Amino acid sequence: MVKITFIEHSGVEHHVEEKPGLSVMEIAVKHSIPGIDADCGGACACATCHVYVDPAWMERVGGCGNLEESMLGFADTVAPTSRLGCQIQLTGQLDGLVVRLPKAQH
Amino acid sequence: MKSDELDALAEARQRANTIPLADINVCDLELWRNDTKLAYFDRLRREDPVHLHPPEHHRNGAFWSVTRFNDIVAVDTDHETFSSEPAITLDDPMEDFELPMFIAMDPPRHDLQRKIVQPIVSPSNLSTLEPLIRRRIETTLDELPIGETFDWVDRVSVELTAQMLATLFDFPFEDRRKLTFWSDAATAEPDSGMWDVERFDEQFAAVMTDCLTYFTGLWNERVNTEPKGDLISMLAHGEATRHMDPQEYLGNLILLIVGGNDTTRNTMSGSVLALHQNPDQHAKLVAAPSLIPSMVSETIRWQTPLAYMRRTATRDVELGGKSIRKGDKVAMWYLSGNRDETVIEHPNSFIVDRPRARHHMAFGFGIHRCLGNRLAELQLKILWEEILNRFPEINVVGLERVPSAFVNGYKTMHVEIPRRL
């Protein structure tokens, strides 16, 4: 099992354990984490699973793909640590990952 | 449904299931006027999900119909292979009256222009707008007659969307119905009854030029004052838009007017119809108003107010086992994708507490995804909060549909509200 922490915009933390292999978005939906809409279901096509990766994890998580960058370009309050949750697969390497959620998904 | 409507539906399904595939023309306006199009899309999804229509099926020639959810996602998210230029409907631009608009542009121009107007629908601006939207909805609903028949489209759906657009453009409020007229004109088919078919190009250009003249006055006023938060000021001061020529200004205006008008208007009317046709779902909503956001998403799926968007292939490409050639037109039928039973369970049922109701394609996917989706949802949500505060039921007694394969909506919807709460 791998651990991930979601921190809502209000500061509320959700600590979740899951089998490796799911995306950050899929874990959020499975555990009903508020603040992730995931309208397109994981096709990198809607930018409603926007998360901020904790800076300490940025290097291991890595940067955006092309389409992801285009989609994030139209999201609100984008930062250098912004990613789409559907494009990050939670593997053993990312055990302990911390992501923060924006005020609203666009 | 009434028994004559059921008879018509049975007959349409019979025809849809038996005519040769090659004879199915989903652009035939009759299918939209009498609301039998879904039967034909069911057949295409089942038997030929990437379907080539012959040139005689549309006045601008042959086109592909993509009807399955996942194929549509594949097209919509591959904007390099499937370009939005030169147009996002099956009609090609008029040669001497082009209307460039960012929805019909590819990156990088699309991205630059879209980002200029994006702040109008930012979460913070929506919070600012919310009290105003609620006040207007309350007033509009409080003025509705009780115990007599009236047109919901005109009194509520058109009125509320016209008010909203006037605010977004900071447009003279008393002239707001001009916005509705220009929106209707921009999307009306040549043979819709709005135009003299023989003189369509000329009449269309004349109406659009009136629109441009009016808005040029507003541009001149805004460009000479400090930037503010309305759409015209944003365009007049935006780096990527302030040097637009008049036709491009007009094109983008039409995009914003249609985008904020037809869509929300027809979903507002559609919500009344869906809940009237599904009394069990209405009862569920009354018992648990917290279901309103979910009901709103379900209505947007069920209605799919813009039935398709067109793309044009930039290279030869395989899709669903078919060879699409460079230059071919491809219609992504969101309306059909939203009824795809392999992705959405019981897609023909209207279910206000549907699990994952947001997972629909009415807003499109990819870089052209609907800009105003959150504003539309907010308007619908407040409308239903205020309806439930006032009216125990709204009965639909008759309706007429828009004769268009693009705008899936209602020309009129006669309703009766028997009493207040």
Side-chain angles (χ1 to χ4, degrees), chain A residues 43-55:
Chain A
C44 194
C46 71
T48 65
C49 61
H50 178 197
V51 298
Y52 304 110
V53 175
D54 185 275

Side-chain angles (χ1 to χ4, degrees), chain B residues 158-171:
Chain B
V158 168
E159 185 51 30
L160 291 175
T161 44
Q163 291 186 8
M164 190 75 249
L165 273 177
T167 300
L168 298 181
F169 283 111
D170 194 10
F171 185 93

Side-chain angles (χ1 to χ4, degrees), chain B residues 31-255:
Chain B
L31 313 186
W32 298 82
R33 219 178 253 126
N34 66 16
D35 193 31
T36 54
K37 69 262 182 187
L38 290 174
Y40 296 87
F41 284 117
D42 285 348
R43 172 112 183 265
L44 288 183
R45 273 200 313 280
R46 231 172 25 238
E47 294 181 26
D48 199 27
V50 179
H51 178 76
L52 181 62
H53 295 272
E56 55 274 21
H57 280 188
H58 192 276
R59 62 186 166 276
N60 286 114
F63 65 98
W64 295 89
S65 273
V66 182
T67 51
R68 283 188 184 164
F69 191 102
N70 290 327
D71 287 338
I72 294 169
V73 174
V75 173
D76 225 356
T77 52
D78 186 358
H79 53 265
E80 285 171 8
T81 306
F82 297 100
S83 167
S84 290
E85 298 179 7
I88 49 84
T89 68
L90 290 167
D91 294 298
D92 289 325
M94 284 183 196
E95 265 174 33
D96 46 2
F97 198 78
E98 280 193 50
L99 290 172
M101 52 180 82
F102 68 78
I103 194 175
M105 292 175 193
D106 292 328
R109 235 167 119 216
H110 159 267
D111 302 19
L112 295 172
Q113 293 197 359
R114 175 171 168 138
K115 280 175 191 169
I116 299 295
V117 293
Q118 184 105 25
I120 197 87
V121 289
S122 68
S124 60
N125 204 40
L126 295 189
S127 309
T128 310
L129 287 171
E130 180 161 354
L132 176 70
I133 296 172
R134 188 176 302 277
R135 240 180 3 255
R136 286 177 175 171
I137 287 177
E138 287 171 337
T139 308
T140 303
L141 295 180
D142 285 340
E143 287 170 354
L144 295 177
I146 298 297
E148 60 179 85
T149 302
F150 66 92
D151 181 10
W152 181 271
V153 171
D154 181 59
R155 293 285 299 262
V156 183
S157 309
V158 168
E159 185 51 30
L160 291 175
T161 44
Q163 291 186 8
M164 190 75 249
L165 273 177
T167 300
L168 298 181
F169 283 111
D170 194 10
F171 185 93
F173 204 65
E174 63 284 6
D175 281 347
R176 62 188 179 278
R177 290 284 177 131
K178 285 183 191 290
L179 296 167
T180 311
F181 173 68
W182 291 325
S183 176
D184 290 347
T187 55
E189 299 275 349
D191 51 350
S192 60
M194 184 158 186
W195 313 103
D196 175 350
V197 180
E198 301 298 312
R199 296 176 55 213
F200 170 68
D201 285 18
E202 180 197 332
Q203 290 183 340
F204 178 82
V207 169
M208 290 298 122
T209 303
D210 282 348
C211 173
L212 176 61
T213 306
Y214 196 111
F215 270 98
T216 301
L218 298 178
W219 174 288
N220 292 340
E221 177 192 304
R222 308 288 151 84
V223 79
N224 293 316
T225 49
E226 285 299 298
K228 52 191 191 74
D230 69 85
L231 286 168
I232 301 171
S233 183
M234 285 174 177
L235 291 171
H237 292 278
E239 187 58 39
T241 47
R242 63 197 168 101
H243 298 300
M244 291 186 294
D245 67 30
Q247 285 300 112
E248 190 168 351
Y249 176 42
L250 176 58
N252 278 318
L253 288 169
I254 294 301
L255 163 61

Side-chain angles (χ1 to χ4, degrees), chain A residues 2-3 19-22 57 88-97:
Chain A
V2 281
K3 292 193 186 71
K19 286 189 282 295
L22 295 181
W57 289 89
I88 305 170
Q89 200 185 105
L90 199 70
T91 58
Q93 261 207 322
L94 295 181
D95 189 8
L97 179 66

